[in-house]
Amino acid sequence: MKTIRVLSTAIIVLSAVFMAPSCGTLNSEALLAGGMQAIQAATLSDAEIKSYVGQYIANLDKESNVLPESDPYTKRLRKLTAGITEVDGTPLNFKVYKTNQVNAFACADGSVRVYTGLMDLMTDDEVLGVIGHEIGHVGLKHTKKQFQQAMLTTAARYGLIAAGGTIASLSASQLGDLGQTLASSSFSRKQESEADDYGYEFLVKNGKNPYFMAMAFEKLESLNSSSNTSSAVNNLFSSHPDTAKRIARMTARAEKDGYKRPATKSTTTTKKK
């Protein structure tokens, strides 16, 4: 059924290509190529998805300030994620981006990136809860679906799939367009709720109090509502719906499972004094 739905989406894209109003000379071969690329994008295998995402992440790492292994932030992240090596068979790799933005993300190829702004805001267990949430999007295949949709969006413009099953190398402009599409996309409420539950269970699995999921959300909500928040700060989950409801749901679940709210602690920081 999933395959049928994905193909239906591609067929809609293909139909839209041929039903588009004529403007000048219609290049039917180019339109057909775009439509076929849409079908190919919709049916990408896990290996193909990971290969394309890997290209995107490699380019993003080049453009970002990735902190070295010797940096205190990286050492802190290594300590936090010790023993966390894979999700659903996909190997994980962790890096820290030096930026004041409050953010973190995980991709279908297992790349997890955490921003120093987030690490400055939160305690270790809160950071781990956010990481668990982001990894959840990978384990639950949300990131794969998101990338497929991004491929469909740009399929009519670029030949993102090479003939003969060979993975194409994306150009700088293709990577840029793909990055913009991914940046503007978002997960559904259902997917966010599923990732919240994954993060909750992730904390429990790693011997942590899952109440920290709610506490991480509280800090993000407080930062987002603060009038003093800098425009340079990208508040994680700021565009996600019903943050208050999500906090309440995580709190209720933790209390139902017998967990007590941890004593308030000062933010664990790795800032150099």
Side-chain angles (χ1 to χ4, degrees):
M1 292 300 292
K2 290 183 180 178
T3 302
I4 292 174
R5 283 197 294 269
V6 169
L7 285 174
S8 296
T9 302
I11 290 170
I12 290 172
V13 174
L14 181 58
S15 299
V17 168
F18 283 101
M19 292 175 67
S22 176
C23 182
T25 303
L26 186 66
N27 187 334
S28 60
E29 291 184 1
L31 290 178
L32 178 60
M36 292 308 296
Q37 289 153 15
I39 291 177
Q40 289 173 312
T43 57
L44 280 172
S45 67
D46 285 353
E48 290 168 330
I49 288 285
K50 290 176 182 178
S51 177
Y52 283 117
V53 172
Q55 291 184 50
Y56 168 69
I57 288 297
N59 185 68
L60 190 61
D61 284 350
K62 286 181 180 180
E63 295 178 344
S64 303
N65 188 353
V66 179
L67 294 179
E69 291 297 318
S70 59
D71 191 271
Y73 284 98
T74 304
K75 289 181 179 180
R76 179 184 170 196
L77 183 63
R78 292 284 175 263
K79 183 178 179 181
L80 275 174
T81 58
I84 303 171
T85 59
E86 61 90 22
V87 55
D88 195 31
T90 298
L92 297 172
N93 66 90
F94 299 87
K95 291 184 180 180
V96 180
Y97 284 176
K98 184 178 180 179
T99 169
N100 289 332
Q101 291 184 351
V102 179
N103 209 349
F105 65 88
C107 292
D109 70 331
S111 297
V112 183
R113 302 294 181 262
V114 183
Y115 294 21
T116 54
L118 180 78
M119 298 179 75
D120 288 334
L121 177 70
M122 297 186 177
T123 65
D124 286 354
D125 292 337
E126 290 165 351
V127 171
L128 195 61
V130 171
I131 290 174
H133 172 97
E134 295 303 320
I135 289 175
H137 283 306
V138 178
L140 296 167
K141 307 297 185 183
H142 298 163
T143 52
K144 177 186 176 182
K145 294 175 183 177
Q146 184 185 53
F147 192 82
Q148 278 181 321
Q149 188 59 50
M151 292 282 282
L152 283 167
T153 301
T154 57
R157 293 191 61 190
Y158 298 115
L160 297 181
I161 315 297
T166 303
I167 300 297
S169 294
L170 304 183
S171 68
S173 60
Q174 290 167 351
L175 287 167
D177 283 358
L178 190 58
Q180 288 181 359
T181 302
L182 288 169
S184 63
S185 63
S186 61
F187 296 113
S188 68
R189 293 190 180 190
K190 180 181 179 182
Q191 288 173 329
E192 292 294 358
S193 181
E194 291 172 345
D196 289 350
D197 287 331
Y198 192 103
Y200 180 101
E201 292 157 11
F202 177 84
L203 285 176
V204 173
K205 180 181 178 181
N206 286 279
K208 305 296 183 180
N209 187 337
Y211 221 121
F212 283 109
M213 280 294 297
M215 294 172 70
F217 288 166
E218 286 172 355
K219 283 188 176 179
L220 292 167
E221 184 181 47
S222 176
L223 182 64
N224 189 43
S225 61
S226 173
S227 59
N228 296 322
T229 299
S230 169
S231 60
V233 176
N234 175 23
N235 297 318
L236 187 64
F237 305 141
S238 64
S239 62
H240 296 191
D242 302 323
T243 303
K245 290 182 179 179
R246 293 168 72 189
I247 293 171
R249 193 169 76 87
M250 289 291 97
T251 298
R253 181 175 177 183
E255 292 178 347
K256 181 180 179 180
D257 291 343
Y259 292 96
K260 294 183 179 181
R261 184 183 180 93
T264 302
K265 298 179 181 179
S266 60
T267 302
T268 300
T269 181
T270 40
K271 283 185 176 180
K272 293 180 181 180
K273 296 182 180 180

